[in-house]
Amino acid sequence: MRYIIIGAGAVGGAIGGRLAESGREVVLVARGAHYEALREGGLRLATPDGRGTHLLPVVNDPGQLGELRADDVLVLAVKTQDSIAALDPWGHRPVAGGGTAAERLPLVCAQNGVASERLALRRFRHVYGMCVWLPAIHLEPGSVSAAGTPLTGILHIGCYPSGSDETARRISADLEKSRFDSPVVEDVMRWKYAKLLANLANSIVAVTGLLTSDEGLALYRRARAEGDAALAAAGIEAVGDEEEKEFRGDKITLEHFDGSERTGGSSWQSLNRGTGTIEADYLNGEIALLGRLNGVPTPVNDALQRIANTFARQRRAAGSMTVAELTALVDEMAQ
């Protein structure tokens, strides 16, 4: 199988680099300065067990690959707000032996949130969800670091909307030879909804920095309580905290191998890079959507969604608001 990583940032770069290290064939898809850096100098991947440069094929347009292969696997690893733009160039591409990518190839959504799988299924017949627990950072073109050890990440995979098949098992086997735990599950969205609830903290981290203070944790708990209520009203089951904790165990610990402190997650990185967009619409905004559909008030998530989007749009610096200021603003907006 050849893995085409659509979005070779923190998650995509870590998955692609680890797959390449275990001898799997990988193509990276990137854009802008990151594409140029990957093309000219390769993917620089730093992990607790060392630093390496992977000279992998890299494209910024599927036309550069020509006809796709029947054994290709498309791995979508962009932020959800970029999913449609990232997918549109790939669906109509011809595949060796006949048909198109949308008709024949597996598409794995290795992303936060729960919306991309549905977006993808409108275009692709064979969609797989992936719940991503992978602490990784991408701040500079051409460079990705992943601090997890002894495993780099945990990547639950399953068919969307549910089920499993031989393709999922083959992808899992390749990942498990590449420093990942990758359970094949029948209910992958149940795991992704649990991750969604955890990711409601992303906007708080992006705006204020690491979630370490009692005040910051209190704000997250308010957002999480709304999330729990919205999922319950919608009849959506998520993996519980105890089940998740028991499964993860000590499979991943963070090792600050470069001497630096752990920086923020995916939303924090978006603000840090000044991308102009952030995934809040598909994290806090997912809870807001479920709340509106099911008559559940979600004022804290509504406010966090708006504040995070304002930060991204205005390209305000990550971590530039105090938790006290954010809490006061949320309370004001929630009235």
Side-chain angles (χ1 to χ4, degrees), residues 96-285:
T100 65
E103 294 167 333
R104 294 187 56 194
L105 297 185
L107 173 73
V108 181
C109 296
Q111 301 162 284
N112 285 336
V114 295
S116 268
E117 287 82 2
R118 184 178 175 87
L119 293 172
L121 200 61
R122 292 180 184 274
R123 298 160 172 78
F124 287 77
R125 292 183 182 176
H126 309 290
V127 175
Y128 298 79
M130 178 173 280
C131 181
V132 178
W133 288 329
L134 201 175
I137 298 291
H138 164 56
L139 298 178
E140 299 178 2
S143 179
V144 171
S145 65
T149 187
L151 293 176
T152 298
I154 301 175
L155 307 172
H156 287 74
I157 185 171
C159 299
Y160 179 77
S162 62
S164 62
D165 62 12
E166 183 59 26
T167 297
R169 288 185 283 274
R170 291 180 64 193
I171 295 169
S172 168
D174 283 347
L175 290 168
E176 294 201 335
K177 294 172 183 175
S178 307
R179 300 290 190 96
F180 296 103
D181 189 8
S182 184
V184 178
V185 293
E186 301 289 323
D187 54 354
V188 69
M189 298 310 293
R190 182 169 168 264
W191 291 89
K192 294 201 70 166
Y193 273 103
K195 182 73 182 327
L196 169 67
L197 292 172
N199 286 147
L200 298 181
N202 281 25
S203 292
I204 302 171
V205 173
V207 171
T208 69
L210 291 180
L211 193 67
T212 55
S213 70
D214 290 342
E215 194 173 13
L217 290 170
L219 184 57
Y220 165 65
R221 284 192 290 269
R222 291 169 61 189
R224 170 65 186 262
E226 292 180 358
D228 290 335
L231 264 61
I236 296 171
E237 182 184 1
V239 169
D241 291 342
E242 288 303 315
E243 182 181 354
E244 182 179 341
K245 182 179 179 181
E246 181 178 357
F247 177 84
R248 293 178 69 173
D250 58 357
K251 293 177 181 179
I252 301 178
T253 58
L254 300 183
E255 182 176 314
H256 302 299
F257 52 89
D258 58 359
S260 65
E261 292 297 319
R262 166 74 174 152
T263 49
S266 54
S267 298
W268 182 92
Q269 292 176 58
S270 292
L271 291 185
N272 189 282
R273 295 200 309 273
T275 62
T277 67
I278 199 167
E279 58 194 336
D281 288 346
Y282 298 95
L283 301 178
N284 305 100

Side-chain angles (χ1 to χ4, degrees), residues 29-49:
V29 182
R31 59 186 180 181
H34 190 43
Y35 163 73
E36 295 296 339
L38 292 172
R39 186 172 62 87
E40 295 174 6
L43 171 66
R44 302 188 304 278
L45 178 62
T47 65
D49 54 291

Side-chain angles (χ1 to χ4, degrees), residues 6-7 29 31 62 76-79 81-91 111 124:
I6 304 173
V29 182
R31 59 186 180 181
L76 184 66
V78 300
K79 301 292 194 302
Q81 67 267 25
D82 298 320
S83 290
I84 294 175
L87 287 175
D88 278 348
W90 291 91
Q111 301 162 284
F124 287 77

